[in-house]
Amino acid sequence: MLLSQFGSSLDMPTWRIILPVGISFYTFQSLSYSIDVYRGKLSATKDVVAFCTYIAFFPQLVAGPIERATNLLPQMLGGRRFDYSEAVDGLRRILWGFFKKLVIADNCALAVNQIWGDYSDANAATLIVGMVLFTFQIYGDFSGYSDIAIGTAKLFGIRLMENFRLPYFSRSIGEFWRRWHISLMTWFRDYLYIPLGGSRAGTLRTIRNVFIVFLLSGLWHGANWTFVTWGAYNAMLIVLGRWLWKSQTKNDERVGWKDLWAVGLTFMLVVFGWVVFRANSVSEAVDYLSCLIGSVTSANFGMPIYGKMTVIYCLLLVVIEWLQRDRLCPLQLDGCWLGRYRWSRWLVYYLVFMLTFFGRGEEQTFIYFQF
Amino acid sequence: MKKFLLRILLFLIPAISILVGAECYMRSIPNSYQLKDDWMQRNGYAVSTLLLGNSHGYFALSPSVMGDSVFNLCNVSQRLEQDYFLLRHYVDKYKALKRIILVADNSNLFDTPMEDDEPARVTYYQLYMGYRAHSMLSQYGFELADMSYVWKKVNFYWKGESIMCDSLGWGNNYVVDNRNADDFLYENVRQHHFASWEDTHRNRDNMNAIAAWCQQHHVELILLQTPVCEDYTRKADVWQLQLVNAMVDSCCTQYGARKYDYSCDSRFRDTDFFDSDHLSDQGARKFSAILAHDLQILQR
């Protein structure tokens, strides 16, 4: 688009290949096994059934979490016993996962598709809502799937790794990537970033390593320049973040009210990143952002046309997750006043169940099924 | 494990009860599908002219203006597949049926299956009109399967507008005062796009099947194109309109049906329309009177 202003154009090559569902996930799981065996972290298994179950374990087969052989394979080989509290916890995770997918992601998808389908004449508020709702859509969709997968695995006595830890409450982009799609990012860290030298080989090599990891993680999502650009954008933010804020926040530090400005700033940066991820092409993303800038500069604000009810659902999600931010799943009520009595716990479960059923949006396939 | 299963059961019983209650409530809301089925079950023997088609016929044809023993069995988004089903469904009732007026235009001849676009409407045909294309245990067997329609229906019911048609099946809620002026802007005028040859052939086959049925039962068939506003015709694909005419003409030749095309009728002005391709209540009365008059001439 920029080059066209100067009477030139750049035709970037794209690939159109039909791939089986979830190939990126089980390919990485197979790689993890092979590398761990090669490194001597794990002995090669002779149990074909256990190995195949590890690769094709149905709850997480198509959209993760990308499990490590060191975590999952021993569980497949060992005996399993039914654990009541684990199974109950699994059901809670499944219920919360369905809420995130059906209420948050599916309702957001409806509004986002409408806004992205006709954004050229939309006002600033509508365009901002389109960006923010996609941010919630992808979170609800992907983390919802992970919750359902983790919960289902728990019913079988299998513990999968956590894939999300409230990523939108991160105080920096670095922290965001330690909380978002954890299984993929730790995979890249262990099998790519660290072997390349990590952050211990000088500033330039660290920057190079960060870019390699994020460009590849972008490409992992698909052969589209939007994903590569999105990866580069995140790498740039990570590098800038390291340079501007030397001291990094740790994962285990509790997010508090004093961190809200950092959380807000990080959230905004993430929202802009998702614009490139959502767009069908880089030029569409640039076009969307140009429309936004145009609307803001011409003071075309107004009220958002779509998604008002969905914004309320998203706010509800934020409030619940904020209040329950010390727990892996907001429906874990132990230790809080609502969890004191069985009737109060069940009342909460019923409310979430009914809200999920009656507040669900139009059926949408999981976004990460395409990866 | 026993304790776990027992608690799940205890949890699910009230939850399922609430959902069953909600489904019963949804089914208790009066609607046009139920009304039309009830009417046909009770009065089908007396009907002499039956109107079939989609929203173009539903909003355009007022039986009370057209004469005695006319009934409007059209509905919004009704496909030719459902038209053919409804025609056969009440076959035992027809004692006086002489004429069928079927909407056949560039919307329903190019429609995709209802299951693709509006699955909730398939549910209405299944629940209220005896349509059995899908299992009653599938998503088409429950109103609660599509929440967007559930909320719309409840909303209309609370406003007292859930039926949306008169006692003879005419969709009378397109009141001229409530129309949206923006719908008439050229850029907003609706276009019915060609979807696929497969859909077009299926629709054509259903139209021909209705025509064959009429020929076999000595029932006169009128293939109707209702009035549309000028911009609608201007914006429509010429090739598509030619194809519609070719299919309708072929049906007329093959099965002895008659074609009545009012799509370019200059007697209709903008005030007669609710939107670009639907007549308002006022326009519908005018059109129904014109059609009744034209049919009388034919009879003579």
Side-chain angles (χ1 to χ4, degrees):
Chain A
M1 214 178 151
L2 188 67
L3 287 172
S4 66
Q5 303 296 317
F6 300 98
S8 181
S9 67
L10 178 65
D11 291 324
M12 293 186 174
T14 54
W15 301 277
R16 291 181 187 278
I17 306 162
I18 298 170
L19 295 170
V21 168
I23 188 165
S24 336
F25 292 91
Y26 51 76
T27 305
F28 270 39
Q29 282 201 186
S30 313
L31 278 172
S32 143
Y33 171 80
S34 306
I35 296 169
D36 284 350
V37 169
Y38 175 74
R39 286 177 177 175
K41 277 189 178 177
L42 188 76
S43 51
T45 179
K46 287 177 183 161
D47 189 332
V48 178
V49 176
F51 177 76
C52 291
T53 315
Y54 157 67
I55 295 295
F57 186 48
F58 78 93
Q60 44 84 256
L61 173 68
V62 285
I66 301 164
E67 268 301 336
R68 301 298 183 77
T70 44
N71 175 43
L72 197 52
L73 203 52
Q75 294 188 67
M76 300 293 178
L77 290 164
R80 283 179 304 282
R81 293 184 68 184
F82 179 77
D83 184 323
Y84 176 80
S85 59
E86 280 287 295
V88 170
D89 201 42
L91 287 181
R92 281 195 288 248
R93 289 297 289 264
I94 292 171
L95 180 57
W96 189 243
F98 274 119
F99 171 77
K100 284 200 276 191
K101 166 64 183 152
L102 300 176
V103 180
I104 302 297
D106 287 357
N107 279 306
C108 284
L110 202 66
V112 168
N113 292 343
Q114 282 170 324
I115 294 169
W116 275 82
D118 185 22
Y119 60 82
S120 50
D121 296 325
N123 60 39
T126 304
L127 292 170
I128 291 168
V129 165
M131 289 160 68
V132 173
L133 288 188
F134 180 69
T135 306
F136 280 97
Q137 183 195 344
I138 195 155
Y139 171 62
D141 192 281
F142 194 16
S143 75
Y145 181 88
S146 293
D147 279 339
I148 295 167
I150 292 167
T152 310
K154 277 193 171 195
L155 292 176
F156 291 92
I158 301 281
R159 272 178 170 265
L160 298 181
M161 69 185 294
E162 289 301 326
N163 217 11
F164 292 86
R165 283 181 198 269
L166 307 174
Y168 293 150
F169 294 150
S170 306
R171 288 152 289 194
S172 67
I173 291 292
E175 188 183 358
F176 173 80
W177 282 108
R178 289 194 297 277
R179 290 167 173 263
W180 178 274
H181 205 174
I182 298 165
S183 62
L184 178 72
M185 293 323 288
T186 51
W187 195 101
F188 274 114
R189 182 197 63 198
D190 295 345
Y191 300 118
L192 188 66
Y193 185 68
I194 292 173
L196 284 170
S199 55
R200 293 171 192 274
T203 309
L204 279 178
R205 285 189 74 174
T206 303
I207 292 171
R208 183 204 69 176
N209 295 346
V210 168
F211 268 89
I212 289 174
V213 165
F214 276 93
L215 288 175
L216 283 177
S217 78
L219 263 180
W220 176 88
H221 288 86
N224 193 331
W225 289 107
T226 51
F227 299 129
V228 179
T229 311
W230 173 72
Y233 169 78
N234 280 293
M236 191 188 72
L237 289 180
I238 295 260
V239 169
L240 281 177
R242 280 191 182 203
W243 185 42
L244 293 173
W245 293 282
K246 296 264 186 205
S247 62
Q248 285 183 48
T249 44
K250 294 276 186 287
N251 271 345
D252 49 3
E253 273 179 24
R254 190 174 191 264
V255 185
W257 291 101
K258 63 178 177 11
D259 300 313
L260 274 188
W261 70 272
V263 169
L265 182 68
T266 308
F267 182 77
M268 273 173 56
L269 293 171
V270 171
V271 167
F272 276 98
W274 289 131
V275 172
V276 190
F277 190 93
R278 168 64 176 79
N280 293 315
S281 63
V282 178
S283 63
E284 191 186 30
V286 173
D287 209 24
Y288 190 97
L289 293 171
S290 308
C291 285
L292 177 63
I293 294 165
S295 302
V296 172
T297 49
S298 61
N300 178 16
F301 290 104
M303 282 293 287
I305 303 168
Y306 307 107
K308 285 171 206 156
M309 190 62 202
T310 311
V311 170
I312 295 171
Y313 285 136
C314 293
L315 287 174
L316 182 71
L317 174 82
V318 171
V319 170
I320 294 172
E321 291 208 327
W322 178 263
L323 292 174
Q324 291 288 80
R325 62 191 182 280
D326 295 328
R327 295 174 171 86
L328 282 173
C329 169
L331 293 182
Q332 288 170 345
L333 301 169
D334 328 309
C336 86
W337 63 275
L338 272 170
R340 205 173 297 164
Y341 307 104
R342 183 175 298 150
W343 68 264
S344 57
R345 286 198 302 272
W346 280 41
L347 186 69
V348 172
Y349 303 152
Y350 269 114
L351 281 175
V352 176
F353 180 83
M354 291 302 159
L355 189 60
T356 304
F357 191 89
F358 290 106
R360 70 190 198 272
E362 247 173 59
E363 189 183 316
Q364 310 278 337
T365 45
F366 286 95
I367 296 173
Y368 268 71
F369 276 13
Q370 63 185 297
F371 302 137
Chain B
M1 180 70 115
K2 230 184 227 174
K3 185 178 151 193
F4 178 73
L5 292 175
L6 190 72
R7 293 229 170 132
I8 288 191
L9 199 68
L10 280 175
F11 182 84
L12 284 179
I13 289 170
I16 289 169
S17 308
I18 292 169
L19 297 184
V20 169
E23 178 70 27
C24 292
Y25 174 71
M26 291 308 301
R27 292 187 191 191
S28 73
I29 295 177
N31 58 74
S32 61
Y33 299 87
Q34 204 171 33
L35 179 142
K36 290 183 181 210
D37 185 64
D38 284 349
W39 196 96
M40 285 301 291
Q41 297 293 353
R42 268 183 286 151
N43 308 307
Y45 66 90
V47 70
S48 69
T49 302
L50 191 62
L51 314 174
L52 288 169
N54 57 11
S55 57
H56 291 175
Y58 178 67
F59 292 111
L61 301 167
S62 172
S64 55
V65 177
M66 292 177 72
D68 295 334
S69 56
V70 181
F71 187 70
N72 188 328
L73 202 52
C74 306
N75 221 317
V76 176
S77 299
Q78 189 161 290
R79 274 41 174 190
L80 285 155
E81 195 173 343
Q82 277 75 34
D83 288 324
Y84 185 41
F85 158 75
L86 292 173
L87 179 64
R88 285 174 299 152
H89 186 59
Y90 302 108
V91 71
D92 298 339
K93 307 285 172 197
Y94 308 137
K95 300 282 183 248
L97 186 65
K98 291 194 175 75
R99 178 184 293 144
I100 282 170
I101 301 178
L102 172 70
V103 174
D105 59 18
N106 71 334
S107 62
N108 62 351
L109 279 167
F110 297 110
D111 264 336
T112 52
M114 198 182 272
E115 283 81 351
D116 292 357
D117 291 343
E118 295 173 279
R121 290 195 190 277
V122 180
T123 308
Y124 296 153
Y125 286 98
Q126 295 237 135
L127 294 179
Y128 305 114
M129 301 190 102
Y131 187 58
R132 290 288 178 271
H134 305 276
S135 159
M136 292 306 281
L137 292 174
S138 69
Q139 59 158 318
Y140 304 108
F142 303 95
E143 286 221 26
L144 293 183
D146 192 327
M147 286 314 294
S148 58
Y149 274 74
V150 165
W151 292 124
K152 269 186 217 162
K153 195 173 168 183
V154 169
N155 197 20
F156 278 121
Y157 181 51
W158 286 348
K159 283 190 212 161
E161 299 168 358
S162 65
I163 296 184
M164 294 194 243
C165 67
D166 71 0
S167 59
L168 293 172
W170 169 48
N172 57 359
N173 62 329
Y174 270 11
V175 182
V176 73
D177 297 336
N178 297 341
R179 66 188 199 162
N180 184 0
D182 287 351
D183 289 343
F184 294 91
L185 297 174
Y186 182 76
E187 61 267 26
N188 292 348
V189 166
R190 188 201 310 250
Q191 271 185 302
H192 290 282
H193 293 287
F194 175 82
S196 71
W197 280 113
E198 191 190 350
D199 292 330
T200 309
H201 288 158
R202 194 193 51 254
N203 293 325
R204 182 205 57 195
D205 292 347
N206 279 310
M207 177 179 72
N208 288 343
I210 292 170
W213 186 96
C214 289
Q215 194 179 44
Q216 196 187 339
H217 291 82
H218 308 293
V219 173
E220 181 187 18
L221 175 67
I222 308 283
L223 296 174
L224 181 74
Q225 292 182 50
T226 57
V228 288
C229 79
E230 211 181 315
D231 277 350
Y232 178 85
T233 316
R234 214 151 51 87
K235 204 170 177 179
D237 192 328
V238 177
W239 169 79
Q240 249 177 287
L241 294 178
Q242 284 170 347
L243 190 59
V244 168
N245 282 324
M247 286 191 284
V248 169
D249 288 342
S250 157
C251 181
C252 290
T253 316
Q254 208 177 337
Y255 301 101
R258 285 172 199 276
K259 178 170 110 173
Y260 275 53
D261 183 1
Y262 295 91
S263 59
C264 299
D265 197 316
S266 57
R267 285 172 290 185
F268 294 90
R269 301 199 184 116
D270 273 358
T271 47
D272 292 319
F273 294 100
F274 184 81
D275 59 25
S276 58
D277 59 334
H278 294 105
L279 288 168
S280 65
D281 56 337
Q282 197 177 293
R285 283 192 199 97
K286 181 174 164 180
F287 176 58
S288 302
I290 290 171
L291 181 63
H293 177 257
D294 292 351
L295 291 172
Q296 256 176 359
I297 293 171
L298 172 77
Q299 226 163 10
R300 281 180 210 150

